[in-house]
Amino acid sequence: MNKSGHYPNILSFKHRELQMEEALKVFFAGIGGVFVGMTLLYIAILLIIKGSAWSKSRKESQ
Amino acid sequence: MDSILSLAETSGFLHITPGLVCMWCIGLILIFLAIKKGYEPLLLLPIGFGIIVANLPLAGLMTPEEGLIWRFYHYGIQWEIIPPLIFLGLGALTDFGPLLSYPSLIFLGAGAQVGVYITFFTAFWLLGFDLQEAATIGIIGGADGPTTIFLASKLSPHLLGSCAVAAYSYMALVPIIQPPVMKLMTSKNERMIRMKKKKKLVGSEKLLFPIAALFLIILLIPASAPLISMFMLGNLFRESKVVERLTKASKNELMNIITIFLGLSVGATMNADNFLKKEVIFIFAFGLLAFMISTASGILLAKLMNIFLKNKINPLLGAAGVSAVPMAARVVHKVASDEDKKNYLLMYAMGPNVAGVIGTVIAAGVFLTFLK
């Protein structure tokens, strides 16, 4: 159903096909984007933990 | 006599329609659920009230440029002010400690977003919603009210009211919706897995995380900036421990005030013309589907991770990857403790739960990037 409340007719089939390509693009980009984002955050957390531990041990050794 | 007749004509009584009465009933049901059943009362009560007052004939509260609630809606939601301010408060309320103590659980916050995209694609493909509408319906699966409102206001303002009510209703129904899916997707032995002890934090991690996350997420998905920047600012207030007044204001006074305007505005967008339609039933059905698929996909990812991890994680934690904080984490703990009373999963489940908030914002950012 489109915004004007009508179901798309057969004339809009080509348009729908193009939209399908767009939908698939968004689908894969979305899932990929979320996992890439979380992987970056995961790496950042590991670096932060390592950095904090190193900083603490350095302070203690001084 | 004439003056009495003209008074009658200008009163609302002569303009009552069955559609308006139906909307009053929906508003009253939401108010009843909020007061008597305690379902998300902070939001469902003002939303229910907003529905009623917006559907009073001739009241004109939602008349563009003139109506009182229209101004709340226009300057608060259309101008993108209210959802980011809610995120400021959420940031001030969020403790990233459980996530930082068990970093691998962050992926579960991503796993739960798979449901958002599956529902998006299904709503587009099977029901013929356009891409923007399908995205707005899909994001309900993230179980994050402010993000749903933020995305709906940008992509499909005509669906804002129904999607917001669906999102908040399902958030309130987490203890009913999630457990059957969790039990279906896991064996008893899996539910009894106990987690290995968490790493101890030495101090500055909680302070550094919001700054690092701010850079990484906004650089990756710039469209997520309004929500993520406010979320991380609120969290920085909290973790810096030097702006106690701002932290308290963000999570208490500001959050409470904003919630009033948010609820009223969202409720008032639901008028009889755009709510009493067949497509609203699909929105509620697909919102529920999105939420269930998100729960299942989080659990499946946890099981997949267990193939590679030496120290197995309890797959129930995957269900906490939806961002209904802290309800989803509590439900995970409850389902696990039903099998083994000494299995305390609550603090572990808070990790994927807050990761789910970030995941849903990233998912919304991707939709905005491609579809706005």
Side-chain angles (χ1 to χ4, degrees):
Chain A
M1 192 180 292
N2 56 30
K3 273 179 190 161
S4 54
H6 298 103
Y7 285 95
N9 59 34
I10 199 141
L11 291 174
S12 63
F13 184 73
K14 189 74 192 165
H15 174 62
R16 191 87 187 140
E17 213 172 43
L18 287 172
Q19 278 202 322
M20 180 62 88
E21 278 177 28
E22 184 72 13
L24 282 169
K25 201 166 87 179
V26 175
F27 180 82
F28 290 112
I31 293 176
V34 173
F35 277 95
V36 169
M38 291 305 183
T39 307
L40 289 175
L41 286 179
Y42 176 66
I43 295 166
I45 292 173
L46 293 184
L47 290 174
I48 288 169
I49 290 170
K50 292 263 182 223
S52 298
W54 174 78
S55 164
K56 194 186 176 194
S57 67
R58 197 163 158 263
K59 270 185 197 162
E60 282 171 356
S61 67
Q62 278 175 349
Chain B
M1 189 64 188
D2 280 352
S3 57
I4 291 172
L5 278 175
S6 64
L7 179 69
E9 277 169 15
T10 54
S11 79
F13 286 108
L14 291 181
H15 296 83
I16 296 173
T17 62
L20 292 178
V21 176
C22 193
M23 293 310 293
W24 298 346
C25 293
I26 291 169
L28 288 171
I29 289 170
L30 292 186
I31 292 174
F32 171 79
L33 290 175
I35 296 173
K36 284 287 174 191
K37 301 283 175 186
Y39 290 165
E40 293 282 334
L42 293 176
L43 276 147
L44 289 191
L45 199 150
I47 287 177
F49 196 83
I51 294 172
I52 293 171
V53 293
N55 287 284
L56 288 171
L58 307 184
L61 290 170
M62 276 301 274
T63 307
E65 313 288 342
E66 288 174 17
L68 173 71
I69 302 179
W70 181 86
R71 290 193 175 111
F72 296 160
Y73 169 70
H74 181 66
Y75 297 113
I77 294 179
Q78 288 186 318
W79 278 27
E80 285 179 27
I81 291 172
I82 290 179
L85 286 182
I86 293 271
F87 263 76
L88 179 74
L90 290 178
L93 283 164
T94 300
D95 178 9
F96 282 117
L99 180 65
L100 296 169
S101 309
Y102 222 118
S104 59
L105 297 181
I106 198 168
F107 291 105
L108 300 180
Q113 309 312 316
V114 173
V116 169
Y117 285 97
I118 290 176
T119 311
F120 154 73
F121 193 74
T122 315
F124 167 76
W125 187 40
L126 286 185
L127 286 179
F129 283 100
D130 70 26
L131 290 172
Q132 286 79 5
E133 291 171 335
T136 309
I137 295 166
I139 205 72
I140 298 172
D144 190 329
T147 308
T148 304
I149 291 166
F150 181 73
L151 191 70
S153 68
K154 295 197 154 225
L155 294 184
S156 320
H158 58 294
L159 299 185
L160 195 148
S162 42
C163 286
V165 171
Y168 282 112
S169 306
Y170 295 142
M171 280 163 70
L173 295 174
V174 165
I176 296 165
I177 298 170
Q178 281 199 314
V181 181
M182 292 157 84
K183 285 180 182 164
L184 190 73
M185 302 290 298
T186 54
S187 65
K188 187 174 178 169
N189 284 341
E190 283 174 326
R191 292 197 289 275
M192 289 175 75
I193 292 176
R194 290 195 182 181
M195 298 290 288
K196 194 187 153 229
K197 275 202 166 179
K198 298 189 290 183
K199 282 186 191 126
K200 272 200 167 174
L201 300 176
V202 294
S204 52
E205 295 95 335
K206 286 188 185 182
L207 193 60
L208 292 171
F209 179 73
I211 299 169
L214 176 82
F215 276 104
L216 290 174
I217 299 169
I218 296 181
L219 287 174
L220 181 69
I221 314 280
S224 65
L227 298 182
I228 283 293
S229 58
M230 290 292 110
F231 189 53
M232 295 307 167
L233 175 64
N235 194 252
L236 196 58
F237 282 167
R238 173 195 169 101
E239 300 303 343
S240 69
K241 297 187 171 47
V242 293
V243 285
E244 201 59 33
R245 278 166 50 196
L246 299 187
T247 311
K248 278 186 182 165
S250 305
K251 67 182 181 186
N252 297 322
E253 294 87 354
L254 184 63
M255 187 89 148
N256 291 340
I257 293 167
I258 289 295
T259 302
I260 296 170
F261 293 122
L262 178 75
L264 258 182
S265 310
V266 166
T269 60
M270 293 165 63
N271 59 48
D273 292 337
N274 69 21
F275 192 78
L276 299 176
K277 283 180 176 176
K278 220 173 10 178
E279 67 183 278
V280 172
I281 296 168
F282 293 137
I283 289 170
F284 275 80
F286 267 67
L288 178 63
L289 181 76
F291 196 40
M292 292 169 82
I293 298 175
S294 292
T295 303
S297 60
I299 293 171
L300 281 176
L301 183 70
K303 287 179 158 202
L304 185 70
M305 285 167 69
N306 273 346
I307 297 172
F308 303 101
L309 290 173
K310 206 170 83 181
N311 298 311
K312 305 289 179 213
I313 58 173
N314 190 315
L316 290 176
L317 293 173
V322 298
S323 47
V325 182
M327 190 76 91
R330 283 189 196 145
V331 169
V332 166
H333 174 73
K334 169 85 175 52
V335 174
S337 60
D338 283 348
E339 302 292 353
D340 174 4
K341 287 209 179 329
K342 289 186 178 167
N343 197 1
Y344 292 99
L345 281 189
L346 184 62
M347 286 318 286
Y348 296 97
M350 286 306 292
N353 213 185
V354 294
V357 177
I358 298 174
T360 308
V361 174
I362 295 177
V366 173
F367 280 137
L368 282 176
T369 306
F370 283 90
L371 302 176
K372 198 187 164 198

